[in-house]
Amino acid sequence: MGIFKRIGNLFSKPPAPAAPKSMLDLSPGDICEVSLITYEVTGRTKTSGRNAAVLTLRDGSRISYLHVEQREQLQYTLYLPIDGRLDNPAEVPATLELDDRTFYLEEEYEGYVAVAGQTPFMNGGQQHVWQYQSDDSHLLRLEWQNGRFMLYEGERMIPADVRVIRGS
């Protein structure tokens, strides 16, 4: 290495550190913490046209789903899968009753999803989503894709309870 190169290296700025990953950018293999429980991200579903993702989280043998959406600020909802069945996506009601709790349709959308890792729907494609809320703030989410329904029950998480531990 020449003398001028060495002198130039003394005065050059060090490279900027890489920006830390946000929860919206996590992908399979990353580690996050939700309500003091550490999870491995094993899958990710991203809907085109929306600044949101659903992360499949694994804590040992337990699987949860974290819906992360950027609106005015990042919003988090942690879901657990539940058993249930609907027959036809054209007949999804605006009001659902489940375990003596009434859920009201809050949002409905559809779009193309891209999947990575282990998710309830292993292939990308057109997906239809219904999100419900009860009067006591419990949440219900229905997803339909390729002739299959998935149902989830969940609760909103405050941003301080969600953080990235290690992002690849």
Side-chain angles (χ1 to χ4, degrees):
M1 189 182 312
I3 187 87
F4 293 111
K5 180 108 172 139
R6 288 183 183 179
I7 291 173
N9 286 342
L10 289 175
F11 296 107
S12 67
K13 293 182 181 177
K21 273 193 167 182
S22 78
M23 289 299 292
L24 198 55
D25 300 325
L26 291 182
S27 57
D30 294 336
I31 307 294
C32 67
E33 182 179 270
V34 180
S35 294
L36 301 177
I37 299 173
T38 303
Y39 293 98
E40 176 188 4
V41 177
T42 59
R44 171 189 165 95
T45 304
K46 173 115 174 76
T47 305
S48 64
R50 294 183 67 87
N51 202 6
V54 176
L55 304 174
T56 303
L57 306 177
R58 182 180 297 271
D59 171 33
S61 63
R62 192 173 112 194
I63 295 178
S64 303
Y65 301 92
L66 183 67
H67 180 254
V68 182
E69 185 167 17
Q70 177 71 49
R71 291 199 176 181
E72 296 87 25
Q73 60 183 2
L74 279 174
Q75 296 177 350
Y76 304 101
T77 308
L78 186 64
Y79 289 102
L80 295 173
I82 58 174
D83 290 332
R85 191 181 103 186
L86 294 170
D87 295 323
N88 187 349
E91 297 175 1
V92 173
T95 304
L96 282 173
E97 189 160 329
L98 181 68
D99 296 333
D100 298 326
R101 182 176 283 135
T102 304
F103 291 91
Y104 302 96
L105 184 63
E106 185 177 71
E107 184 176 14
E108 175 184 356
Y109 61 90
E110 66 180 292
Y112 182 82
V113 293
V115 300
Q118 301 170 345
T119 64
F121 302 101
M122 294 310 291
N123 298 320
Q126 197 70 16
Q127 185 180 67
H128 204 109
V129 176
W130 296 265
Q131 294 184 145
Y132 293 83
Q133 183 172 343
S134 68
D135 288 336
D136 57 353
S137 297
H138 283 80
L139 303 173
L140 182 70
R141 178 181 173 95
L142 291 118
E143 296 175 347
W144 181 83
Q145 183 179 344
N146 297 331
R148 180 174 173 215
F149 273 102
M150 286 294 295
L151 286 83
Y152 312 92
E153 192 171 22
E155 62 180 331
R156 293 197 200 294
M157 311 272 41
I158 59 173
D161 280 351
V162 180
R163 70 185 184 112
V164 176
I165 300 289
R166 179 179 56 87
S168 55

